[in-house]
Structures are given as structure tokens and as C-alpha cells.
Amino acid sequence: MEAIIIVIFIIGYLLITLEHPLKLDKTVPALLMASIMWAVLSIGFHLGWFSIIDEKGVVFNILNRNLEHQQEGFTSTLTHKFSATAEILIFLIGAMTIVELIDLHKGFDVIKNSIRTKSKIKLLWILGIIGFFLSAIIDNLTATIVLITVLRKLIHTREDRIWYASLIVIATNAGGAWSPIGDVTTTMLWIGKKVTAIGLMEYMIVPSIICFVIPFAIASRLKAFKGKIELPKADLDSNPEIFLSSSKMLYVGLSAIVFVPIFKTITHLPPYIGMVFSLGVVWLYSEYIHPEENFDKANDKRFSVNTALSRIEISSILFFLGILMAVGCLESLVFGSIQNVQVGTLRYAAESLSNAIPNMDVVIILLGVLSAIIDNVPLVAATMGMYTFETDSPVWHFIAFCAGTGGSMLIIGSAAGVAAMGMEKIDFIWYLKKITWLAFAGFMAGALCFVAIEHFVR
């Protein structure tokens, strides 16, 4: 009977991966998949078909004695899964709101105005370095959107621009992998207490740099990045308008996001509390700054937090809700026994995979390759339910790296890639032919570097 829930998950997963051919927002199958899975689990549990297991390893079955205790076990398990999911969602909403506030005040135009070079190679490295570090602060998706917006002001030829946009995807995915706030998956691992902020940065920074540098070094020798940038005459002396508050909001907003891990270290509170604090500080600051001279706050809603909140992609938040709750259902469903101890579906799958492929490094590298084909959020969510390694285990760090950077190998393999694809209409086959090998070179170089550090340095 357990196969029913697994089949529902597989069908939902396939619909998510086929989002573009079906022209169906992936949030729809994610929400339906989660709700149907929990509904079937609940019905089956109360009919005695299924057993469930909570976060402490306690198994509940309605056929056992003390009916009320068994029902309470199911309810508390569901509540725990939703609570863990809500922590991630609140964190993301806070971060997204701060980023939107920066954008409303044209804070990112400060970055745009600082880029002066006309050399194609220099521009490639400037955008790459900015993307690598910016994504570690505001996440890889947002950094990609910001830099492609900047790119449109600098390069007007689409044939040239898509090369830069594609390399930006590689840089931002590599940059997001070494920061607890740089990618949804690293945030999940951090909030889930699988990694610490310092541990992640300490062991991931070097492989991430290599993953970024190798493709850019190779690309620097390609014809697409030779010569000078030709700007239309009208653009040579242009200086995009920024507000009086642009620089201030940029620095305050980014500092607030960076402060979240520091807040957690000082207070030992969950990260989402730190993000709530940072959002409150930035919100308060935004109430008293003046974007323009003679600014009347009462008559201009453009810069309000309400406007920033209206610009957040709620569909993305709901997608994460569906995915994480669906994975939580699989984690809670008892599928079999290992050494005469009942375990959840994902833990059972992990043991089976380990028996088939004994080398954990190979398993995780394959996971990274797989993340180029299917969304890395459910992949990482699944591994969090499959494995029980201690906090800051090399396994968690390697999962963070491979899942975060492996998606660069296909344009649809990461949120940053999908954003670039949508903004610049990058063709899937073009990316496969021109960029995939560069991303793969960086991914494997970074992975081998991580394995070397793990076995010879730690």
C-alpha cells in the first residue's frame, strides 16, 4: 500500500519537471502532490494500512493500543513537518522583501554605475566576481536577475549578451553554494541544522571558487569574449538616474542580510528569527529615508514595504511549501525495516542506495548531475530525510556543493538558469552545446577539490 503514496510523489515530480512543455506552473503539481499525499497517508493511517515515524524515531500505528496516543502521534508529526517548512518559508519571505526594498530604491543601480570597462574579458570577470559574492548575500536567483538587468545596459547585442548571461549563471550558482543564505538548498541545510554557517563557508569556499574560476578561465579564451564592447553613441555618456537613498538602502539591506548568521551565532536562535529582526530594521530604516528631495511619504507608495511585499514571488514560496511537505510525507511514512528497526521511506531508500553504490562521494556527484535535470530543492530535501550524519559532516557540505552547482550544467537545472533563460530567451540546445561543457568542467574541478580536501586536509 505504501507504493500508492510513492506513485503520487513520482507523478507530481514528473509534472514539475515538465513545467515548460506542459505550460503549467510547477507550483500547481507541488501543492496538489503534497495535499494528496498527506490525505492518503491520513486515511490509510486511520484505516490501519500505514505506520508513521516521527523525528525521534517513534513509530505510530492506529492498530496498536491507546488509540488516542496514536492519533496524537500522527498530528504531532504533521505539525513538526509544517513547522520545519514554515521556518524556511519565513526566512525566504524576509530575504525577498529586503531585496525588493533595495530594488525599489534603485540600490542595485549603484553596482551598475560602477562598471566602466569596455573590454569584453574584463567585463566577464567583473560580472563573474560580483555575481559570485553577491549571490552569497542575496541568493543566486536574485543576483542573476540583478546582473542580467545590469548587462542589458552594457551590451545591446543579444548574441553577445547570452554568453555573458550564461556565465553569470555559473558564477552565481557557485557563489550561492558556499553561503547559508546563498541558495535555497544551503538555507534548508542550515535551518535544518545539517550545517553551520562557519562550517559551510570554511570548507566550501575553495571548491566554489574553483567551480567559478575554471569555466571563466576557459571562456576567456573563447572568441565570444575577445575585443571591445561597442556601445551606441547615445549610451556613451549616459548615467542612469539613482535616488538619494540608493546607496544607503543597498548597504543597509545587504548588511542586514549578512547579519542573520551573526545574530544566530550570538543568540543561538533559529535563523528565521534573525531574518525577522533584519527585516524589521530595514523596514524601520525605509520609513525615514528620503529617496528624492521634497519627498512626501504620504503621497508616494512606490517605496513602501507594502509595495515590496506585493513584488515577492508568492508562487515560489508556495512551491517550496508543496515540495517540502511532500518530502516530509515520504520521510514520515514507514516503508520497511533496517536491522529489525522500522524506518521511513527516505531512510530506507538511502540504505538501498548505499548498498548499490558503496562510495558516498560517487553517490553525491551523481546527485549533482541529477540536479541539472530535476529541481535541487526536493533532491536536497530528500537527502535530509535519508541520511543521519552529524552537523557539518563532509557529506552535508558535499551535498550542498553538488546540488548547488550541478544545476549549472543545463539552463533549466537551476532557478538562476531558468531566470536567465526567461529574461534572455536562451535556447536549451544552444546552452547545451556552448555552455554545458564549461559548467561540467567547473563542477568536476570543484568536486575533486572538495574530495581532496576531505581526504587529505580535514
Side-chain angles (χ1 to χ4, degrees), residues 49-240:
W49 297 346
F50 306 133
S51 297
I52 66 165
I53 184 169
D54 68 7
E55 69 280 4
K56 297 178 181 178
V58 179
V59 176
F60 299 93
N61 188 293
I62 205 72
L63 300 180
N64 293 340
R65 295 179 179 179
N66 195 340
L67 177 62
E68 184 177 349
H69 174 69
Q70 304 303 320
Q71 291 175 330
E72 287 178 355
F74 182 92
T75 302
S76 63
T77 300
L78 174 58
T79 301
H80 175 79
K81 297 302 178 187
F82 181 77
S83 174
T85 299
E87 289 187 19
I88 296 173
L89 301 188
I90 291 172
F91 185 95
L92 293 175
I93 290 172
M96 288 177 173
T97 305
I98 293 174
V99 169
E100 290 297 342
L101 269 174
I102 296 173
D103 193 44
L104 284 174
H105 288 263
K106 294 191 176 181
F108 295 117
D109 282 359
V110 175
I111 298 174
K112 184 192 310 178
N113 293 347
S114 66
I115 300 176
R116 301 292 183 183
T117 185
K118 293 182 181 179
S119 167
K120 287 187 175 182
I121 291 180
K122 285 184 179 179
L123 178 62
L124 173 68
W125 282 98
I126 289 172
L127 291 174
I129 292 171
I130 292 175
F132 182 83
F133 289 103
L134 188 62
S135 64
I137 301 173
I138 64 173
D139 81 60
N140 47 13
L141 171 60
T142 308
T144 299
I145 294 172
V146 168
L147 289 180
I148 291 180
T149 302
V150 170
L151 190 62
R152 287 176 169 178
K153 301 293 183 180
L154 299 173
I155 298 179
H156 293 262
T157 305
R158 179 182 173 276
E159 288 73 17
D160 291 334
R161 201 164 59 237
I162 59 176
W163 278 95
Y164 285 93
S166 300
L167 268 295
I168 285 172
V169 170
I170 294 176
T172 55
N173 282 340
W178 64 274
S179 165
I181 53 179
D183 186 275
V184 174
T185 54
T186 56
T187 300
M188 288 164 53
L189 290 167
W190 182 42
I191 293 178
K193 299 181 180 179
K194 304 300 182 183
V195 299
T196 63
I198 294 177
L200 188 68
M201 291 186 284
E202 180 181 358
Y203 292 107
M204 293 281 287
I205 183 65
V206 174
S208 295
I209 289 174
I210 290 177
C211 181
F212 151 61
V213 168
I214 294 297
F216 273 66
I218 298 173
S220 297
R221 297 180 171 273
L222 299 179
K223 185 178 179 181
F225 299 103
K226 299 296 183 182
K228 301 289 184 180
I229 301 168
E230 295 184 7
L231 290 176
K233 190 173 182 180
D235 290 348
L236 293 177
D237 300 319
S238 64
N239 186 22

Side-chain angles (χ1 to χ4, degrees), residues 269-284:
L269 289 169
Y272 72 92
I273 299 293
M275 184 57 74
V276 169
F277 172 78
S278 290
L279 175 60
V281 170
V282 177
W283 192 332
L284 177 65

Side-chain angles (χ1 to χ4, degrees), residues 238-297:
S238 64
N239 186 22
E241 179 189 0
I242 60 175
F243 298 123
L244 296 175
S245 61
S246 296
S247 297
K248 297 175 183 176
M249 185 55 77
L250 175 66
Y251 301 139
V252 170
L254 295 184
S255 298
I257 296 175
V258 171
F259 181 70
V260 174
I262 300 173
F263 183 92
K264 181 183 183 299
T265 302
I266 295 172
T267 65
H268 303 288
L269 289 169
Y272 72 92
I273 299 293
M275 184 57 74
V276 169
F277 172 78
S278 290
L279 175 60
V281 170
V282 177
W283 192 332
L284 177 65
Y285 183 76
S286 71
E287 292 290 321
Y288 293 99
I289 61 173
H290 300 289
E292 301 165 331
E293 292 183 4
N294 303 319
F295 177 71
D296 186 354
K297 190 78 174 181

